[in-house]
Amino acid sequence: MTLAVRYKAARTLDMAPAQTRSPGPGEVELAPAYVGICGTDLHIFHGDMDARVTTPAVLGHEMSGRVVRVGPDVEGWQSGDPVTVMPLRWDGTCPACASGHRHVCRHLDFIGIDSPGAMQQRWTVPAHTLVRLPGSLALDRAALVEPTAVAVHDVGRAQVREGERVVVVGGGPVGVLIALVARATGAEVRVVEPSTHRRLLAEKLGLTAWDPAADDVPGLVGRWTGDAGADVAFEVSGAAGGVDTAVDVLGVRGRLCLVAIHPRPREVNLHRFFRRELTLVGARLYDRSDFERAVKLVADGTIPAERLISEVVPLTEAPAAFEALEAGGNVMKILVDCGNDTTGA
């Protein structure tokens, strides 16, 4: 018998036997090893996405694992291959798909939200979602490839260039990953984050972090840039104050990249956009090239994944892990161990 973590209703998760489905044509059965809990999972846990999620719902899309079985017509994969999953299924016919932007398909199936996810001991997915992992990469670290792909896509959307000055507002997992990817691109980076624990972690990773409650962030940016302002700001906090900060720190023709999912519409200082000719760009999800670069960044240590993992809990303790993340505190990324890591890593 295999087990799965399921969302039943707001703040209600359970453990239940999973219905393992044999892979059909074009499908692959996986043994998930580790699954990360992300902010979207917490939104589901809070009941904020009940209009979208069909219960009982198996959560999880940040994962690593191995191939168990391949279905008919699947080539290039075999049992034991280490993989992660780009959890997107698109229709291929809508205007977004026709223009080459399948990751924002109008009828997108985000696997782990719109259909069953990885927080189970066996998981059947389309073969086209698989992304190969190097055999040398530990599977616990590989579970951070998906959020790293988010960061790669965000930095690309903002067109960050070498030598530019970048402010990341929000120092949670995705914010720190954006800062690390931007730094790897050659930018100078500052992180704005109210949590002492997260600021200290950012600083241990070689990043400069500011406290918005205690520091005059626009003033610090002015001194850092000689009053020119930042070239790029990323809004990753999801808070109204974060939007204000991200707009305020930008210089002439600066770019604001919106990453966070805001629970409600926000007021934006459009006068500043007019005066400084600012640009606002949205960033959502990723494509395969983002995933492939993310694999390389995690594998070569540019992204020190092991230092971002706060805790690894067994599948049976996943419900408690959601509550721990909700409470905040000294937590960055919690992984759920599905019991399928045979590498000893």
Side-chain angles (χ1 to χ4, degrees):
M1 180 183 70
T2 62
L3 295 175
V5 176
R6 306 186 308 172
Y7 170 75
K8 301 289 293 297
R11 302 186 54 77
T12 305
L13 301 176
D14 73 1
M15 295 289 305
Q19 296 182 351
T20 302
R21 182 171 61 83
S22 297
E27 293 184 326
V28 175
E29 181 183 339
L30 304 179
Y34 299 95
V35 182
I37 303 174
C38 81
T40 302
D41 297 322
L42 284 178
H43 283 306
I44 296 172
F45 178 64
H46 294 153
D48 297 336
M49 299 177 70
D50 281 358
R52 179 174 173 183
V53 174
T54 301
T55 58
V58 180
L59 304 183
H61 57 271
E62 302 180 358
M63 65 80 64
S64 62
R66 294 185 182 276
V67 173
V68 175
R69 291 186 292 173
V70 299
D73 304 324
V74 173
E75 297 180 356
W77 300 101
Q78 61 184 6
S79 176
D81 285 344
V83 297
T84 186
V85 164
M86 186 175 75
L88 308 180
R89 186 188 286 115
W90 45 79
D91 65 15
T93 62
C94 75
C97 290
S99 63
H101 307 301
R102 297 178 300 184
H103 67 290
V104 287
C105 171
R106 288 188 180 180
H107 308 108
L108 185 69
D109 173 4
F110 191 108
I111 304 172
I113 300 176
D114 304 306
S115 56
M119 213 168 287
Q120 54 184 316
Q121 292 175 312
R122 290 292 184 271
W123 189 34
T124 298
V125 297
H128 74 78
T129 66
L130 300 188
V131 179
R132 193 176 302 277
L133 297 172
S136 58
L137 178 58
L139 290 180
D140 55 351
R141 300 178 186 185
L144 272 74
V145 165
E146 193 272 353
T148 300
V150 170
V152 170
H153 185 76
D154 298 340
V155 170
R157 283 286 290 152
Q159 299 182 338
V160 174
R161 296 183 289 269
E162 183 176 0
E164 289 193 313
R165 291 178 176 177
V166 172
V167 177
V168 180
V169 182
V174 170
V176 168
L177 288 168
I178 288 171
L180 293 171
V181 173
R183 184 175 69 181
T185 305
E188 297 180 45
V189 184
R190 301 293 185 267
V191 176
V192 180
E193 169 55 46
S195 163
T196 300
H197 172 73
R198 289 180 169 180
R199 285 198 312 277
L200 289 174
L201 176 58
E203 289 168 356
K204 288 178 181 177
L205 297 174
L207 299 165
T208 298
W210 295 326
D211 180 357
D215 298 324
D216 173 13
V217 174
L220 289 171
V221 171
R223 289 191 286 278
W224 173 40
T225 64
D227 284 331
D231 300 292
V232 180
F234 291 91
E235 203 310 281
V236 201
S237 72
V243 175
D244 292 340
T245 298
V247 173
D248 289 347
V249 300
L250 287 170
V252 170
R253 293 204 168 181
R255 287 107 64 199
L256 169 58
C257 185
L258 179 62
V259 177
I261 301 174
H262 285 256
R264 61 185 62 86
R266 303 294 190 191
E267 291 187 2
V268 179
N269 184 352
L270 293 180
H271 186 66
R272 195 171 183 91
F273 270 78
F274 167 75
R275 290 291 299 272
R276 296 200 170 190
E277 291 196 345
L278 304 181
T279 297
L280 171 63
V281 61
R284 180 186 174 197
L285 301 175
Y286 29 61
D287 58 27
R288 181 161 289 272
S289 64
D290 298 321
F291 249 85
E292 290 170 349
R293 184 171 181 226
V295 169
K296 293 177 182 177
L297 291 173
V298 174
D300 69 15
T302 300
I303 301 300
E306 71 283 359
R307 299 176 69 179
L308 298 175
I309 299 169
S310 303
E311 188 177 0
V312 180
V313 303
L315 190 67
T316 53
E317 295 180 17
F322 274 78
E323 295 178 2
L325 273 173
E326 181 183 42
N330 298 337
V331 178
M332 181 63 81
K333 176 62 67 177
I334 295 179
L335 300 185
V336 174
D337 182 349
C338 295
N340 290 317
D341 186 355
T342 59
T343 66

